[in-house]
Amino acid sequence: MTRVDLPKFPTRHGFMSERIQQAYIKSAIEKGLLPSDAHRMAEVVSLTAAGDTSKPIQFWQLFSVIGQDAIVGIVARFYEQVFADEPWFSSVFERVGGLNHHVATQASMWIDVMGGGPYYHGAEFRLSFHHTHNAMVLMNDKGAERWVTLMRLTLDASADLMTDDPRVRTSINTFLAFFMTKYADEFAFEDRHIFGEANGPLKRRINFMKMTTEAIEGLSEQELSDALAERGVDVSQYPDKQALVGKALMM
């Protein structure tokens, strides 16, 4: 197990962070990426990433690892590509404001959601207003595909801003994928985002000896199977959840 000292940067909730955190946790539970009680797990809801590098960084914990300068740097590199792109795409942004305007507003949104504090005034209302009034012409398959392509190119060229912790890029991918799926649903375009590897299922360390019978019974069948297998149990001998619970109670 490799450990790093965190937080490197002080954190606090912003105007969007708690609401987005809860929305992501709900979605991740439904997809089996987080345990059913994830909203009560300190390592998940904390704004500080786990020092144990075998555990994922939730995207609202990113500020604790990379801080403001790195976030602004990534956003600035993205918009430099946007403003140098084809006119059908770049002109939409130019009508709203210059390069510095977009860097400031987008970076403030990222920082807010990533645990850096209340920077994005107006929160989700402001974000929705921007998309429906300023960027509506790009909220479609063609616009989304170009945005994703430029962002992926930016991320691929920004390893120097992400520290040497490989979890950072994976967490940023998760952050972007979550929002892109959200926008695809809202604006009815095809969700074809490809940012790279995203956070996989969170495997929590389970100690049956410190759990009540009710807590063990409350685990999912997959959690029981994985935890027993880690202890050298041949789980193929236990065909259903009831059998797995019985074995866990004997540990």
Side-chain angles (χ1 to χ4, degrees):
M1 179 181 71
T2 303
R3 293 197 62 86
V4 292
D5 291 329
L6 294 172
K8 294 182 179 179
F9 301 91
T11 62
R12 55 181 175 149
H13 276 295
F15 296 114
M16 294 182 65
S17 56
E18 287 183 280
R19 185 181 296 272
I20 295 300
Q21 178 191 79
Q22 292 304 310
Y24 174 80
I25 290 174
K26 181 177 183 293
S27 173
I29 290 173
E30 291 172 353
K31 295 176 181 177
L33 295 172
L34 289 175
S36 58
D37 61 345
H39 59 285
R40 296 193 299 271
M41 293 175 63
E43 68 184 270
V44 172
V45 299
S46 173
L47 293 179
T48 299
D52 177 355
T53 57
S54 69
K55 296 183 178 181
I57 296 173
Q58 306 301 332
F59 61 74
W60 49 87
Q61 301 169 342
L62 277 164
F63 191 89
S64 72
V65 183
I66 60 176
Q68 178 173 309
D69 290 347
I71 293 171
V72 173
I74 293 169
V75 172
R77 290 179 184 180
F78 170 70
Y79 278 106
E80 286 167 3
Q81 295 207 60
V82 168
F83 276 76
D85 204 58
E86 297 177 20
W88 71 268
F89 188 75
S90 62
S91 62
V92 178
F93 296 87
E94 290 168 353
R95 286 196 294 270
V96 177
L99 174 65
N100 290 338
H101 166 80
H102 285 282
V103 172
T105 55
Q106 182 83 323
S108 67
M109 180 269 193
W110 281 36
I111 290 168
D112 191 297
V113 174
M114 292 177 178
Y119 279 82
Y120 196 67
H121 296 273
E124 289 163 285
F125 174 82
R126 177 183 179 184
L127 193 62
S128 177
F129 183 91
H130 167 68
H131 289 142
T132 55
H133 290 77
N134 299 330
M136 190 62 186
V137 70
L138 297 179
M139 304 305 289
N140 50 46
D141 291 339
K142 183 180 180 182
E145 182 178 11
R146 192 62 190 151
W147 195 98
V148 169
T149 296
L150 295 182
M151 180 56 75
R152 187 175 66 250
L153 290 171
T154 299
L155 297 178
D156 289 346
S158 299
D160 59 307
L161 297 176
M162 299 184 195
T163 76
D164 58 356
D165 189 332
R167 299 178 299 164
V168 170
R169 171 64 189 270
T170 305
S171 182
I172 294 175
N173 293 343
T174 305
F175 160 72
L176 294 170
F178 175 73
F179 274 92
M180 189 55 66
T181 297
K182 179 175 182 290
Y183 299 150
D185 290 342
E186 290 178 4
F187 296 96
F189 60 78
E190 188 174 355
D191 186 9
R192 295 184 296 177
H193 64 264
I194 303 175
F195 298 107
E197 180 184 1
N199 284 352
L202 175 66
K203 293 185 178 181
R204 53 181 173 176
R205 202 177 302 276
I206 295 172
N207 187 341
F208 295 125
M209 294 181 66
K210 293 184 177 181
M211 297 176 69
T212 63
T213 299
E214 291 75 15
I216 292 174
E217 291 174 342
L219 295 172
S220 70
E221 186 171 342
Q222 188 62 55
E223 287 174 321
L224 286 161
S225 180
D226 290 344
L228 288 168
E230 286 179 2
R231 289 159 176 77
V233 175
D234 180 3
V235 293
S236 65
Q237 298 182 33
Y238 303 90
D240 53 33
K241 181 176 178 179
Q242 184 178 356
L244 290 168
V245 167
K247 180 59 178 178
L249 291 172
M250 294 171 61
M251 299 296 286

